[in-house]
Amino acid sequence: MTTVVAQTLLTTPDPAAILSIFETHLKEDHEIDLSQRNDGTRFFEQADFRVEFCVRATGLFISVAAANDTVLLFFKEQIVHHVAHLDPKMAEDRRWEGELSKPGDLPANFALLTVVRTSEVFPGMQRITLTYPGIAKTQSAGIHFRLMMPL
């Protein structure tokens, strides 16, 4: 698997407790059991991603490796979502190292589409036809999408 990797440290006085919460959630809600390496690192892995948790003196170190930027972004978002339930400030301040993105880049799961045509189906219902050259990649990955439009 060709991978992209991002890492973060959840600074907390009790990283083992945070790991326990993650582990319980993964087991109960997703039927995922964490494996453990000799150095104590806990992890789970599938064909296109790997997530690792390591208790350190300063907090819980989390590393996410994925086959591509879209999968990486998904898992980073999921981790931050769960951290927000524990500590909203910790989630808000979350920064990741190892990413290839630069300030101003669009997220891997964000695309600008072009309007091809628009027509009124009936009053109050507008049909908008869009084009996106990368749609095949999105479809093959089984990814859902949301359309955001300014009012």
Side-chain angles (χ1 to χ4, degrees), residues 2-146:
T2 303
T3 58
V4 290
V5 178
Q7 300 134 356
T8 192
L9 179 69
L10 302 178
T11 305
T12 177
D14 194 356
I18 302 293
L19 176 57
S20 177
I21 291 168
F22 271 110
E23 189 166 14
T24 299
H25 168 73
L26 290 168
K27 174 108 176 134
E28 292 178 358
D29 293 357
H30 303 287
E31 298 178 358
I32 294 173
D33 289 313
L34 295 179
S35 299
Q36 184 168 332
R37 291 198 186 104
N38 291 338
D39 67 358
T41 299
R42 307 297 304 259
F43 69 97
F44 66 96
E45 183 169 23
Q46 301 220 349
D48 58 349
F49 69 90
R50 179 181 64 250
V51 180
E52 299 178 353
F53 302 92
C54 183
V55 172
R56 296 190 175 167
T58 55
L60 182 62
F61 179 78
I62 302 173
S63 177
V64 181
N68 58 57
D69 290 335
T70 302
V71 176
L72 182 71
L73 181 61
F74 172 79
F75 281 99
K76 286 173 21 187
E77 287 177 340
Q78 290 302 305
I79 288 168
V80 172
H81 171 77
H82 292 301
V83 169
H85 287 291
L86 304 171
D87 183 338
K89 179 75 172 132
M90 187 186 304
E92 182 180 312
D93 294 342
R94 190 65 14 241
R95 300 295 176 263
W96 295 85
E97 296 177 12
E99 296 181 89
L100 300 176
S101 63
K102 298 167 200 64
D105 285 354
L106 292 176
N109 66 344
F110 193 90
L112 296 176
L113 284 71
T114 303
V115 175
V116 176
R117 69 183 155 275
T118 180
S119 61
E120 185 177 59
V121 178
F122 53 82
M125 173 64 96
Q126 192 77 16
R127 175 176 287 137
I128 303 170
T129 305
L130 305 164
T131 184
Y132 170 51
I135 193 71
K137 180 178 120 182
T138 304
Q139 289 173 321
S140 67
I143 300 201
H144 295 60
F145 71 91
R146 293 184 188 136

